[in-house]
Amino acid sequence: MSLRKTAVADLTEKQAASELKVLATEIALHDAAYHRDDAPTITDAAYDALRKRNDAIEARFPKLKRADSPSKAVGAAPATGFKKVQHTVPMLSLGNAFSDEDVADFMDRIRRFLDLDAEEQIEMIAEPKIDGLSFSARYENGQLVVAATRGDGSEGEDITANIRTIKAVPDFLMGDVPKLIEIRGEVYMTKADFAALNAAQEAKGGKIFANPRNAAAGSLRQLDPKITAERPLKAFTYAYGEVKGMEWKTQWDFLQSLKAWGFPINPRTKVCKTLDAMLKEYRKLGEDRAGLPYDIDGIVYKVNRVDLQKRLGFVSRAPRWATAYKYSAEQAETVVENIEVQVGRTGTLTPVARLKPVNVGGVVVSNATLHNEDEIARKDIRIGDSVIIQRAGDVIPQVVESLTAKRPKDSKPYKFPTKCPACGSHAIREEGEVARRCTGGLMCPAQSVERLKHFVSRNAFDIEGFGEKNIEAFFEDDLIESPADLFTLEKRGGRPKLKGREGWAEKSIDNLFAAIERRRTISLERFIYALGIRQVGQATARLLAHAYGSFDAWRKAMLAAKDKDSDAWTELNAIEQIGESMADDLVGFFAERHNRDILDSLAKEITIEDFVAPDTSGSAIAGKTVVFTGNLESMSRGEAKAGAQALGAKVAGSVSKKTDLVVAGPGAGSKLKEAEALGVKVVTEEEYLKLIGA
Ligand code: IVH
């Protein structure tokens, strides 16, 4: 960290090399967080500063430029799950300007490159820089054929099905169209739509997005285009990639073609004839920024004449003929009145700063995220501190720094709690993780609803007619608190209590209690899965059931495994596919008294069947490796997997030479192709059911 404070001019070669190495890793992590996970962990300004520092060091020590230098890469490699699309013309990034001088320098560079006199004016286009997610859509003879995200600039993700759900991107182009054109632009969400989406997500317990950009990105990069279709996405278009059969003299003319074909172009686009006009436009747009319906993070200047653009060309990852003049995040000074720790539905502890309310760029801010324990320690943020806050991406405010000079004398560093503020259980932080997590699980009120939903879900206790809504309602009205309560509900006077409720007729109450009764006996593997222990999914639950055979044996072994010198610990780790971190989660679950209490009260109510190894003799798929892909109609993925395993098959997630059989439903994509390429046997769901005699 201290190196960062050294001016680039004062760095020794050795220091420069080591800092470039650190920067490459750090920037790559931020790229992945931003582009791939849609969850940035630093502000745009902080990120830009890292890149600027990297570029400055490379400029001073060109031969130290690394093979993995961030200046060579754009964005992050595409996430898995989507088909990949090569961009025939790379999707580049833009250089940045942070001051009027930077813009003047940019114009001077252009003039010098084109060998023009200093007085000569170059006509520029100024477009708002939309803070969204860029895409490229390829049209052949006016018809949309494929659309992709930027990815790393040369290879993106195939989002054709998702793009088709966005009205702003037409399937067919109107009027006079080229033989081929790739249209590029930005998918975004308006501020109002973003707020409404988050409110709806919160109501149904879905993912909350940090800002409109992340919401747009998260909505566009859905493997299921039906979800994309439900999200209010819009787009602006502003550039082209590969083109055949049409040319334009200027960017302005191209924008008019976009409009004629039916694409939205930004109405705030301006022609600027002088540097002065460019800077005026920057300020004007900046003043209007807060009132625009969508987020912008700067203004993009582009040389208007296409012939000049061609002469100017590109330098590493950005065109010489365009740059982005960024707006700085809006900042304000205030006081941290308290630091509170919130517990998420999955047990993650998140610190929040309660602030003395302050106006930041037209919005009154009284809370700011502190991200996690390390962030507080790194910035040494304390209760009572005067701090600078800013709205990053214009939405969730962040604490930039503490003003230590104003710090009260008696202030003490903030101590992050090691107990869950919601239930008092230990909050632990596993190696390599940034978040501290409550171990309370089933008994933590912040988590219990989610845990209960999981407990009754299809692959766990599978209580018919007992959906997520009922769990929420029953929990709210104190009818159930922990899993065992489901089985005591009737004895505790559940019937009369349910009778008065809306939607609960005599018949449905009968059905509910009958469904609960039917599940008083459960297989060991379903039971283990139902507990919702971290990292313990269906497959692991099955492995454990297989290894220990009975609930009592499993319980004893997990308690004994607390001692890492014990045979029990060694045996647990020896189970195929169970690694140390999973073993830790299992032992950790049993180490908590309240979890044992929950198990004890459950055991009083239900019968947990011993694991019986399935008789797989005579099974057509015993010993075979099976892959399921596409949509299955008669069963869920989980069921299909468990069923195949019960018949002695191994179920794999991807196709390889070792695969014996691929069961492909409608919508199967790359796995099906892979199977065909490798000559692996492919069957439909119907054929598969016949094969296993179901
Ligand atoms: S032009 C070769 N124009 O900003 C030129 N980009 O920081 C490439 N962006 O990747 C981009 N609004 O995602 C251009 N009016 C605009 C833009 C814009 C937003 C985004 C785009 C680009 C990024 C570069």
Side-chain angles (χ1 to χ4, degrees), residues 29 59 63 172 193 207 243 255 329 349 462 487 516 531 550 638:
L29 285 174
K63 69 173 204 282
F172 295 94
D193 285 340
K207 177 175 172 151
V243 190
L255 292 174
L349 269 50
D462 190 21
F487 297 97
I516 293 175
L531 296 176
S550 74

Side-chain angles (χ1 to χ4, degrees), residues 624-642:
K624 301 244 158 88
T625 301
V626 181
V627 172
F628 293 97
T629 179
N631 295 315
L632 302 177
E633 269 150 27
S634 68
M635 52 194 165
S636 72
R637 260 309 154 80
E639 266 179 299
K641 193 169 170 183

